[in-house]
Amino acid sequence: MLKINNLTATVNEGAMTILNGLSLDIPAGEVHAIMGPNGAGKSTLSYVLTGRDGYDVTGGSVEYMGKNLLDMEPEERAAAGLFLSFQYPLEIPGVPTMTFLRTAVNAQLKARGAEELSAPEFLKKARKIAADLKIKPDMLKRPLNVGFSGGEKKRMEIFQMMMLEPKFIVMDETDSGLDVDAMRIVADGVNALRSPDRGMLVITHYQRLLDYIVPDKVHVLVAGRIAESGDADLAKKLEAEGYDAYAA
Amino acid sequence: MPTQPNLTEAETRLGGALPHRRVEAWKWTDVRNSVKETASGLVSACEPVFELPSDLSVNRAVNTAKDHAMGTLAHNFSGESYLIDVPAGYQSIDVVRLSGLSAGHARIFIKLGKSAELTVIEDHRSDEAGFVNIEVNYDLGEGASLTRTMTHRDHAQSTRIVTSQINAWASAKVIQHALSFGGGLSRLETNVAALGEGLNAQIHGAYLLNDQRHTDMTSYIDLGAPDGVIRQTVKGVVTDKARGVFQGKFHVRRPAQHTDAEMRHDALMLSDTSEIRAKPELEIYADDVECAHGNTLGALDESALFYMRQRGIPLKEARALLTEAFVAEVFDDLAEDRRDDFMTDIRTWLEANS
């Protein structure tokens, strides 16, 4: 579903190479985790996949559902079903959460040539998902993420994800800022989206999220490339032994 | 006026100098340079259209001279003034609408008696190039309350100067919202004088300008009595080669103790070639007051735009949504129907210019 081949990428207008020959193949239906020390390129990978300005691909390729992902604008990637749960979700002052999300849902449907959701349909769906994630209805009226706590912002990311029903999900440090109860709620949401035609890439520094979202494969990212791959047990080993063994 | 250079042809027809860039208060809005001698309305009277509640009427009154340049021109060319006398204690759910201000000079006086309440909606608009010089004077009696809404949209080659003088006696209240889409050269100037204690003034505005349009929002709040509460929020959005000007001044005189005044001007520049000039000023002689002013210029937040695009919102729409949210705050407490009208106009502008 997502095929990354020998990808290299730089930031600061080429001043720093962050991804350095990264290859990864994530078939539909699988959940892969990427773990690695700080500065390994985890967040850069999430931004390169979603097309953020300032992250320049200098080599390699990314194929997403048979298309060249790197040719697409960020909003085209989103409409094609690619979703990033941000490590630091942005505050959008003055735009109520529901307005934001309804605009996003309908823009994606329109881009796919599908019919837009009516206001009652949208509201019904939003209320149900908010209740599942224990998000107070009052929060949905407030400007998106403005004044929300770290944990609330992460929960709001999952709320958006469940509303948008993406095909491929990248989660960047979704566990940071979450207490155990919140993590369970978030993991239940993510697990509910696991399906044979959906892929996921879970980026995390710590193993604990992977107790709740059990991956099919775990990859260790060091210095911009995959240093080792294994099953879920690899995460436990990393938690016990740290990343020192991979030091250059 | 400082020493006079030779009069332009337009000034010769007018019989006197126009404000120009070497006059401090007009340094960013050079009227002399923008007015052509052939401009329609240059030396003729404007004929405003008034829509009034049935119990109010417009009278004509002999014009009295003014001591500032645009006022003198208005005096010379407008013919008799328009006068609306609103009796003490007046209340009405019907509003006063003022329109037809598309070319020429006019002087308008609206006088609110003690505790009178009035809503005035002013439409400053032209579809053809021309020269417009409007002076609007409000006199607010003790405890009177004025709600004033101004919309402004001119032809791209027009020049418009609107000078408002609001004199407020004790406990008077004025809530003003102005929305401008600019013109060739335009200035909406609002002067408020607190002549009695306890003035409550909210002087808000927004301008959204494209092409080479120019709007100048200048205000001067002169506080000569205690216990005034002043709130001012002006937001600007400029793109292409447009130019926005904000000049705001709070003048807190010695008797104006316990004044509580806040001024904000925030502007978004959507293009590198657009221009913002801002001069917020506080001049304070009273020692027990709370006054603050703030002024920011910036671009749309790139991180926020990326976040929105990642959710599938196209760039143009994301820009429009963020800009709308930025501007909308100015009109938060505007009456719902007028707010809806404003937001519709703003969205139409954003669709074309984001």
Side-chain angles (χ1 to χ4, degrees):
Chain A
M1 184 173 203
L2 184 74
K3 288 182 182 154
I4 305 174
N5 186 32
N6 202 22
L7 188 66
T8 59
T10 61
V11 296
N12 294 342
E13 291 169 356
M16 278 172 73
T17 299
I18 307 290
L19 299 182
N20 199 2
L22 187 146
S23 297
L24 198 60
D25 191 351
I26 306 172
E30 290 194 9
V31 176
H32 288 210
I34 285 202
M35 300 182 70
N38 289 326
K42 301 193 298 291
S43 285
T44 296
L45 175 62
S46 70
Y47 290 142
V48 167
L49 291 177
T50 47
R52 186 170 191 162
D53 276 347
Y55 294 80
D56 299 317
V57 174
T58 49
S61 63
V62 182
E63 193 189 302
Y64 170 68
M65 299 176 74
K67 285 188 226 159
N68 179 359
L69 186 71
L70 303 177
D71 268 356
M72 300 159 77
E73 293 293 332
E75 55 268 41
E76 293 171 339
R77 300 181 198 202
L82 182 64
F83 180 93
L84 169 63
S85 170
F86 282 62
Q87 182 178 6
Y88 303 108
L90 271 294
E91 298 189 358
I92 310 291
V95 183
T97 301
M98 288 297 256
T99 306
F100 176 91
L101 203 49
R102 188 148 182 247
T103 308
V105 166
N106 283 335
Q108 289 201 14
L109 289 170
K110 194 176 158 198
R112 289 181 214 135
E115 209 172 304
E116 297 188 356
L117 274 187
S118 71
E121 285 171 315
F122 175 81
L123 265 179
K124 195 175 159 200
K125 186 173 172 183
R127 286 202 185 114
K128 160 95 176 62
I129 293 171
D132 289 346
L133 292 171
K134 296 192 165 47
I135 290 171
K136 290 185 218 99
D138 163 60
M139 267 174 80
L140 302 179
K141 291 180 196 151
R142 287 159 55 189
L144 182 60
N145 291 333
V146 176
F148 291 11
S149 71
E152 285 171 331
K153 286 179 184 172
K154 291 302 176 72
R155 223 180 294 182
M156 203 51 81
E157 292 292 284
I158 304 304
F159 174 68
Q160 294 180 52
M161 187 171 96
M162 296 179 77
M163 287 297 293
L164 290 163
E165 299 178 358
K167 294 200 175 77
F168 193 94
I169 295 162
V170 180
M171 276 182 284
D172 189 1
E173 306 274 4
T174 295
D175 50 334
S176 66
L178 293 182
D179 61 31
V180 175
D181 289 335
M183 191 143 66
R184 190 170 291 126
I185 292 168
V186 163
D188 286 348
V190 173
N191 286 328
L193 286 178
R194 287 178 89 143
S195 85
D197 54 2
R198 188 174 275 138
M200 294 191 197
L201 180 61
V202 181
I203 296 171
T204 182
H205 188 75
Y206 300 105
Q207 184 258 341
R208 59 172 196 164
L209 179 68
L210 304 180
D211 287 340
Y212 298 92
I213 303 169
V214 180
D216 297 293
K217 280 207 172 111
V218 174
H219 309 277
V220 186
L221 181 67
V222 179
R225 69 176 65 158
I226 303 297
E228 190 179 352
S229 298
D231 59 15
D233 288 340
L234 178 58
K236 294 199 172 65
K237 188 184 124 193
L238 288 169
E239 184 75 5
E241 297 174 11
Y243 297 107
D244 287 351
Y246 302 97
Chain B
M1 297 276 156
T3 49
Q4 302 284 332
N6 293 334
L7 296 184
T8 63
E9 283 182 53
E11 287 172 326
T12 305
R13 287 192 71 196
L14 285 163
L18 286 164
H20 53 84
R21 64 191 157 80
R22 275 175 290 171
V23 179
E24 176 64 19
W26 295 84
K27 62 182 171 184
W28 294 316
T29 299
D30 191 336
V31 183
R32 165 180 291 160
N33 199 33
S34 87
V35 182
K36 295 194 176 58
E37 71 281 8
T38 53
S40 76
L42 184 65
V43 291
S44 57
C46 167
E47 286 176 16
V49 176
F50 293 90
E51 288 170 63
L52 298 172
S54 56
D55 47 0
L56 291 180
S57 59
V58 182
N59 297 304
R60 304 302 297 269
V62 176
N63 228 323
T64 50
K66 293 290 282 195
D67 56 1
H68 61 93
M70 298 312 292
T72 304
L73 294 177
H75 168 72
N76 292 345
F77 295 103
S78 63
E80 287 181 319
S81 302
Y82 296 83
L83 178 65
I84 299 173
D85 235 317
V86 182
Y90 182 83
Q91 284 186 327
S92 172
I93 49 163
D94 294 326
V95 303
V96 171
R97 286 180 193 276
L98 176 54
S99 59
L101 308 167
S102 56
H105 302 259
R107 298 185 77 195
I108 298 159
F109 291 82
I110 300 178
K111 209 172 166 190
L112 277 66
K114 193 172 173 181
S115 302
E117 290 177 16
L118 191 71
T119 297
V120 181
I121 298 176
E122 298 177 18
D123 189 16
H124 296 266
R125 185 179 301 263
S126 64
D127 298 324
E128 288 164 28
F131 178 74
V132 201
N133 176 31
I134 309 291
E135 192 190 290
V136 192
N137 299 278
Y138 287 97
D139 191 272
L140 311 183
E142 191 181 327
S145 173
L146 169 68
T147 303
R148 182 189 192 204
T149 306
M150 304 168 77
T151 50
H152 168 234
R153 186 195 301 268
D154 272 324
H155 185 275
Q157 264 85 49
S158 66
T159 302
R160 174 185 301 267
I161 310 298
V162 181
T163 312
S164 311
Q165 177 68 44
I166 303 173
N167 291 332
W169 298 92
S171 306
K173 182 175 183 181
V174 51
I175 302 177
Q176 174 174 312
H177 290 90
L179 174 62
S180 170
F181 295 99
L185 186 89
S186 29
R187 167 141 150 164
L188 307 180
E189 179 178 323
T190 303
N191 302 309
V192 181
L195 305 171
E197 61 184 36
L199 168 68
N200 179 343
Q202 298 175 39
I203 307 295
H204 303 309
Y207 53 87
L208 295 95
L209 310 172
N210 67 336
D211 292 338
Q212 298 191 44
R213 286 166 176 268
H214 175 117
T215 287
D216 169 342
M217 285 192 176
T218 287
S219 55
Y220 172 62
I221 317 293
D222 185 355
L223 297 155
D227 299 322
V229 178
I230 318 298
R231 292 291 177 270
Q232 181 170 36
T233 302
V234 176
K235 301 247 190 179
V237 179
V238 287
T239 188
D240 303 329
K241 291 182 172 174
R243 182 192 240 200
V245 175
F246 170 77
Q247 301 186 108
K249 183 168 179 176
F250 292 168
H251 188 166
V252 185
R253 295 178 191 268
R254 205 177 299 277
Q257 296 293 358
H258 309 121
T259 292
D260 170 0
E262 285 174 21
M263 179 198 304
R264 281 217 64 82
H265 171 251
D266 300 290
L268 266 183
M269 298 171 74
L270 301 182
S271 74
D272 294 339
T273 46
S274 57
E275 220 182 298
I276 295 286
R277 301 283 174 207
K279 187 180 175 193
E281 270 184 290
L282 300 177
E283 190 174 328
I284 302 172
Y285 298 99
D287 52 14
D288 185 12
V289 299
E290 280 185 52
C291 293
H293 66 345
N295 179 48
T296 62
L297 299 184
L300 288 173
D301 179 351
E302 290 294 331
S303 304
L305 286 174
F306 172 68
Y307 185 78
M308 297 171 90
R309 296 175 79 189
Q310 208 302 303
R311 296 300 183 249
I313 302 174
L315 180 58
K316 189 178 147 73
E317 217 175 325
R319 288 168 65 101
L321 207 54
L322 282 185
T323 312
E324 181 187 321
F326 169 81
V327 175
E329 193 201 341
V330 174
F331 305 115
D332 271 352
D333 46 9
L334 194 56
E336 202 177 335
D337 55 338
R338 264 161 277 148
R339 186 175 198 279
D340 289 349
D341 289 348
F342 272 20
M343 294 316 294
T344 303
D345 287 349
I346 289 169
R347 283 184 197 120
T348 305
W349 188 91
L350 288 170
E351 257 170 53
N353 292 289
S354 290

